[in-house]
Amino acid sequence: MKHYPKILVVILIFALTLAGCSSAEQVTPTPENGEIQDFGAVISATGVVVPEQWAALSARSQGVIAEVLVKEGQQVKKGQLLVRLSNSESARAEVARAQENLISAERAFSSSQANALKDLDDAYEAVRKAQYDFDNFDIPSDLRG
């Protein structure tokens, strides 16, 4: 009695195998009105769109964009202004501060240049005096033999 379920399963598998191997004639579908229709080719592809040229944009200073000066898709040139930032007052103040620092640096340079020229002149004078003293050095008569 234990073998009945196993035998039943084997018979069931055998019957399904035979049913699947039957040589029934397959029918080719045809259009209802008898006309053959031509369908256009369908191409399906998967991919990634990569631009021909890349551009990395960056601003020289931080701020909130107040105005966009170009339109989407518009051709731009190198160095062309693209946006205006709303913090222009702070940028102007920074320019003024930088100009003041430049003026201070130029004054310090002029002053240090004048000091360097004076030091150089003093050094030349010291060399001339030392050379003169050396050229006019007299040996005392009591040391002459």
Side-chain angles (χ1 to χ4, degrees):
M1 292 255 182
K2 294 181 182 180
H3 297 294
Y4 286 121
K6 290 182 184 178
I7 292 174
L8 191 57
V9 170
V10 170
I11 291 173
L12 181 62
I13 291 174
F14 183 69
L16 289 174
T17 305
L18 284 178
C21 293
S22 68
S23 61
E25 192 174 315
Q26 294 188 4
V27 179
T28 304
T30 58
E32 290 183 17
N33 58 5
E35 295 179 16
I36 298 176
Q37 297 177 351
D38 186 22
F39 292 100
V42 176
I43 298 174
S44 176
T46 304
V48 177
V49 177
V50 179
E52 187 175 318
Q53 294 179 344
W54 292 85
L57 302 178
S58 62
R60 292 186 183 134
S61 62
Q62 297 179 358
V64 177
I65 295 176
E67 182 181 3
V68 178
L69 303 173
V70 293
K71 295 178 183 170
E72 186 175 338
Q74 179 182 344
Q75 293 277 334
V76 295
K77 297 178 182 170
K78 182 178 181 180
Q80 181 179 345
L81 190 61
L82 303 177
V83 296
R84 276 201 173 76
L85 300 179
S86 64
N87 64 344
S88 61
E89 292 304 318
S90 65
R92 284 189 184 117
E94 189 174 334
V95 168
R97 202 169 26 256
Q99 287 174 338
E100 289 173 6
N101 290 341
L102 176 64
I103 291 169
S104 296
E106 287 174 342
R107 286 180 184 158
F109 177 74
S110 295
S111 173
S112 65
Q113 190 176 19
N115 289 339
L117 289 174
K118 182 184 177 306
D119 291 345
L120 187 61
D121 188 45
D122 291 346
Y124 278 133
E125 185 59 36
V127 168
R128 274 184 284 212
K129 183 179 181 312
Q131 186 67 45
Y132 178 80
D133 290 346
F134 177 74
D135 290 342
N136 294 318
F137 182 72
D138 289 332
I139 300 175
S141 60
D142 55 336
L143 292 179
R144 290 185 194 165

